[in-house]
Amino acid sequence: MSNKDNHQEPSEHVKLSRRLFLGGSSALLATAAAGGGLSLASAPALASDDINVKPGELDEYYGFWSGGHQGEVRVLGVPSMRELMRIPVFNVDSATGWGITNESKRVLGDSSKYLNGDCHHPHISMTDGKYDGKYLFINDKANTRVARIRLDIMKCDKIVTIPNVQAIHGLRLQKVPHTKYVFCNAEFIIPHPNDGTNLKNLDTAEQYTMFNAVDAETMEVAFQVMVDGNLDNTDACYTGKYAASTCYNSEAATTLGGMMREERDWVTVFNIPRIEAAIKAGDFTTLGDSKVPVLDGRKGSKLTRYVPVPKNPHGLNTSPDGKYFIANGKLSPTVSMIEIDKLDDLFDDRFEDPRAVIAAEPELGLGPLHTTFDGRGNAYTTLFIDSQVVKWNMADAIKAYNGEDVDYIRQKLDVQYQPGHNHASHTEARDADGKWLVVLCKFSKDRFLPVGPLHAENDQLVDISGEEMKLVHDGPTYAEPHDCILLRRDVLNPKKIWERDDAFFAETVAMAKEDGVTLERDNKVIRDGNKVRVYMTSVAPNYGMSEFTVKQGDEVTVTVTNLDMIEDVSHGFCMVNHGVSMEISPQQTSSVTFIADKPGVHWYYCNWFCHALHMEMVGRMLVEPA
């Protein structure tokens, strides 16, 4: 049943007027959407007092932002929106030595050859449907990887490359009883085998993409499920039974026109217990050199169901009450509410029409992309083309869909401009608290000082604690922070100094032990042919070794152990003109390997300011000519 008769025009709900930005098809579409009646009034003043975190006070939430094309995760305090730290993941970072040190190269593994990353979706591990603060997971669309960050040390400790697929995009976690699986979608359809042998007959070659599950503890791929169409975003239910993913290219097309040909695409629903049972029964195959179980979830499979939804859906979000998957229309003004309690009947073939699981399809505006929630029955959806966030009530949307004369839209708020993801505090968990909403806007246009053709993007903070949304802060951000997640600070307790037995540098400690070195005490040089291992301690403001000698062409490994016990007294090691730098925080051991290819005197210095005599914290490497 249509809800068209109950739909209200967007202008009736707009509380704030938008600055009409210049040029571009988005502006024309937004004008058309509002009947040409956009206000030229300037953007409203921000209620800065609402987010004032005074000197010496702490933010209420940690915010973890994907670093987009930078390949990192950024840590912000919310509501102050102050950047606290950057966690390198898929990038090279000279400050910490990520991608340079031996410890980080072990984590990166074979994929350390890639110098780029494209982070999209950060998500926090859960226990019983609530964040447990143990891990944060994030994808790399550019190089088909998934990474895990230990939140106690804010360091990436595991990275896995997903085999048999290309471009990991949507990523979400199993919520109950705990995060056993990291669910991640491969977006692009590829031929199998993809070894170039079928390039001349691609039209007849077997082609598909896959839904993937990674074991959250081992970070090994647990299984892959072949699907029809492609996959975009994903989420999981609160029973542990179902995951669902949007498909915007059910046509399996390779061109823009082909991908928009059909009026409906679908949401693919995955039955996790059936998948696990099929693996246990041996009902799977493998591809190529990979040993990962691959199951067939294409149409007709007992493992999946395909729910038709309007057109080119994008975001897929689970309501915190566990009742609905929300699929966002993108090229339709609607979102589709899939009733999770009806999925058992769908999988047991009690419904002939898979759309029997649709509880409502409210019209919200142009370009709905992502939906988040306040835990009070309200949903908040970004409208990319309208440059708005719409607040709507889920129960009223269902009533309107069933023919009742009720208005489900509570408010529309102008944001600047073209929002993609939005995220409300604790919204992916059972205890969504409805305090803050972050809107990640793709365009900033005239909001900030011009900085050349490449513009900053714009993160905006909205107070959603009351009846009306209130924009309270915006600020520029670089290189597309695609998504974010908010975590109450009481859930997280990061370490202030390292523990000496930490697994992060355990392999380096083991190597020192083989050399008969006690890292906490010894400063020595060990030569093994043309391989030289230099062990030294550091205590502000000096290294335990101020000089060592090697030969030209030697492979030199320098291992530094910071013996300081005071938090915030980090040291660094930078070997001048050798592309070497790294961080060594209190009680940490870090190591780096390089070739001493230049004869002569080469200084090394502490590149993290640690002491009043920091400039004097130096040493020399003497390289004898070959």
Side-chain angles (χ1 to χ4, degrees):
M1 183 177 294
S2 172
N3 62 0
K4 180 165 47 175
D5 293 339
N6 299 297
H7 175 61
Q8 299 291 326
E9 291 300 321
S11 58
E12 295 185 24
H13 301 279
V14 175
K15 302 297 184 182
L16 302 174
S17 58
R18 152 187 336 115
R19 186 184 304 175
L20 181 58
F21 50 89
L22 301 176
S25 60
S26 294
L28 297 175
L29 287 167
T31 302
L38 293 184
S39 169
L40 295 177
S42 61
L46 301 181
S48 58
D49 288 345
D50 294 345
I51 60 166
N52 184 32
V53 179
K54 297 178 182 179
E57 292 184 353
L58 302 179
D59 280 288
E60 187 177 3
Y61 297 87
Y62 286 93
F64 296 93
W65 264 247
S66 62
H69 320 308
Q70 292 294 99
E72 64 192 10
V73 169
R74 298 167 190 169
V75 187
L76 275 68
V78 177
S80 74
M81 301 295 282
R82 297 184 295 220
E83 186 175 295
L84 306 173
M85 182 59 63
R86 295 191 174 194
I87 305 171
V89 182
F90 303 113
N91 55 324
V92 175
D93 178 63
S94 62
T96 62
W98 189 261
I100 301 172
T101 66
N102 296 321
E103 292 74 29
S104 62
K105 286 182 176 180
R106 291 183 194 117
V107 174
L108 287 160
D110 291 339
S111 71
S112 62
K113 63 187 177 184
Y114 300 124
L115 301 181
N116 70 313
D118 186 13
C119 295
H120 280 225
H121 301 115
H123 296 289
I124 295 168
S125 56
M126 295 185 180
T127 300
D128 294 328
K130 296 181 180 181
Y131 302 139
D132 58 25
K134 186 177 182 181
Y135 297 126
L136 182 139
F137 299 88
I138 194 160
N139 68 304
D140 172 22
K141 181 174 177 178
N143 297 300
T144 317
R145 295 178 287 184
V146 174
R148 184 180 77 186
I149 293 170
R150 279 177 49 190
L151 291 178
D152 61 338
I153 56 174
M154 301 283 183
K155 299 281 188 186
C156 175
D157 76 329
K158 294 280 187 180
I159 293 177
V160 60
T161 299
I162 311 300
N164 306 320
V165 295
Q166 287 185 12
I168 294 299
H169 181 219
L171 179 147
R172 287 291 174 94
L173 311 180
Q174 191 171 33
K175 304 176 191 290
V176 293
H178 62 277
T179 297
K180 178 181 179 181
Y181 295 126
V182 179
F183 297 124
C184 45
N185 291 336
E187 186 173 349
F188 297 134
I189 299 167
I190 59 174
H192 292 276
N194 191 23
D195 57 5
T197 58
N198 45 27
L199 292 180
K200 292 184 179 179
N201 60 337
L202 277 178
D203 291 341
T204 58
E206 187 175 35
Q207 300 187 61
Y208 50 84
T209 191
M210 291 192 278
F211 174 79
N212 310 279
V214 176
D215 185 297
E217 288 298 329
T218 66
M219 287 297 287
E220 296 177 353
V221 183
F223 60 79
Q224 299 180 292
V225 181
M226 295 181 284
V227 297
D228 289 314
N230 77 342
L231 294 172
D232 193 356
N233 282 282
T234 188
D235 208 346
C237 70
Y238 282 91
T239 68
K241 193 169 186 179
Y242 297 112
S245 301
T246 49
C247 166
Y248 67 80
N249 183 22
S250 60
E251 304 89 345
T254 58
T255 63
L256 175 63
M259 293 178 187
M260 297 189 295
R261 185 175 64 245
E262 300 296 333
E263 284 303 311
R264 281 183 177 170
D265 290 283
W266 54 61
V267 169
T268 308
V269 182
F270 301 88
N271 190 312
I272 306 305
R274 287 192 183 183
I275 291 170
E276 291 177 324
I279 295 171
K280 188 174 182 179
D283 188 14
F284 64 86
T285 186
T286 59
L287 296 176
D289 296 332
S290 170
K291 303 302 181 184
V292 175
V294 176
L295 303 99
D296 195 339
R298 291 172 289 189
K299 284 189 174 180
S301 169
K302 65 180 181 180
L303 310 178
T304 58
R305 291 293 183 269
Y306 290 75
V307 179
V309 297
K311 177 171 185 181
N312 291 65
H314 183 56
L316 196 289
N317 307 95
T318 305
S319 58
D321 59 10
K323 293 181 178 180
Y324 308 106
F325 288 137
I326 308 291
N328 300 267
K330 192 167 72 175
L331 295 189
S332 167
T334 61
V335 300
S336 301
M337 301 176 64
I338 296 174
E339 193 166 348
I340 294 171
D341 280 351
K342 290 185 177 180
L343 293 178
D344 284 350
D345 290 339
L346 183 62
F347 272 89
D348 289 340
D349 299 323
R350 295 178 188 141
F351 294 142
E352 293 184 7
D353 181 3
R355 279 186 57 83
V357 301
I358 300 293
E361 276 182 344
E363 290 186 39
L364 301 177
L366 294 184
L369 291 187
H370 296 279
T371 297
T372 190
F373 311 90
D374 62 13
R376 301 188 296 270
N378 300 308
Y380 300 75
T381 300
T382 54
L383 304 177
F384 182 82
I385 295 176
D386 283 340
S387 283
Q388 292 178 325
V389 173
V390 54
K391 175 182 178 179
W392 55 282
N393 184 269
M394 292 184 286
D396 285 349
I398 294 172
K399 292 177 183 176
Y401 189 73
N402 291 322
E404 295 186 38
D405 185 13
V406 58
D407 182 10
Y408 46 81
I409 294 180
R410 298 292 186 260
Q411 181 190 358
K412 290 190 174 183
L413 177 72
D414 291 331
V415 292
Q416 291 81 25
Y417 303 95
Q418 270 64 55
H421 274 277
N422 61 349
H423 191 91
S425 47
H426 272 243
T427 192
E428 288 175 17
R430 295 185 191 274
D431 54 349
D433 58 23
K435 290 186 177 182
W436 300 106
L437 170 69
V438 175
V439 184
L440 296 97
C441 299
K442 299 304 182 185
F443 300 165
S444 65
K445 294 187 179 286
D446 52 1
R447 298 292 287 181
F448 312 114
L449 285 172
V451 288
L454 180 61
H455 286 52
E457 297 184 16
N458 187 14
D459 288 343
Q460 297 190 297
L461 183 67
V462 179
D463 182 346
I464 60 171
S465 60
E467 289 301 312
E468 289 192 1
M469 295 182 283
K470 296 179 181 179
L471 177 64
V472 295
H473 172 87
D474 69 357
T477 188
Y478 177 62
E480 216 221 13
H482 196 85
D483 194 7
C484 71
I485 190 167
L486 305 185
L487 176 68
R488 281 196 328 270
R489 74 181 190 211
D490 62 279
V491 181
L492 193 58
N493 186 28
K495 299 179 186 297
K496 294 186 177 181
I497 63 172
W498 286 83
E499 295 179 6
R500 288 295 304 140
D501 60 353
D502 197 286
F504 188 78
F505 46 79
E507 191 168 339
T508 304
V509 172
M511 292 175 64
K513 189 174 181 179
E514 289 180 7
D515 280 336
V517 171
T518 302
L519 290 171
E520 296 84 356
R521 183 185 67 232
D522 292 338
N523 292 275
K524 61 173 61 176
V525 177
I526 296 175
R527 174 173 287 278
D528 180 12
N530 69 338
K531 295 184 178 181
V532 178
R533 293 184 289 279
V534 180
Y535 294 97
M536 68 176 75
T537 58
S538 64
V539 178
N542 59 63
Y543 296 109
M545 185 181 299
S546 60
E547 188 173 284
F548 63 89
T549 301
V550 299
K551 300 181 187 302
Q552 184 182 4
D554 280 348
E555 179 188 280
V556 181
T557 298
V558 176
T559 300
V560 183
T561 299
N562 183 348
L563 298 183
D564 281 303
M565 295 288 293
I566 302 171
E567 66 180 271
D568 218 13
V569 183
S570 293
H571 298 307
F573 178 86
C574 180
M575 180 66 73
V576 177
N577 293 343
H578 282 75
V580 166
S581 63
M582 62 182 178
E583 157 224 355
I584 318 105
S585 287
Q587 296 297 300
Q588 183 179 5
T589 292
S590 297
S591 66
V592 65
T593 300
F594 58 93
I595 302 298
D597 56 353
K598 307 176 185 71
V601 175
H602 301 276
W603 287 84
Y604 53 89
Y605 67 94
C606 177
N607 54 310
W608 281 83
F609 203 100
C610 59
H611 192 274
L613 296 176
H614 164 74
M615 298 296 291
E616 287 79 4
M617 189 169 175
V618 295
R620 299 189 304 173
M621 176 178 71
L622 309 182
V623 182
E624 298 175 347

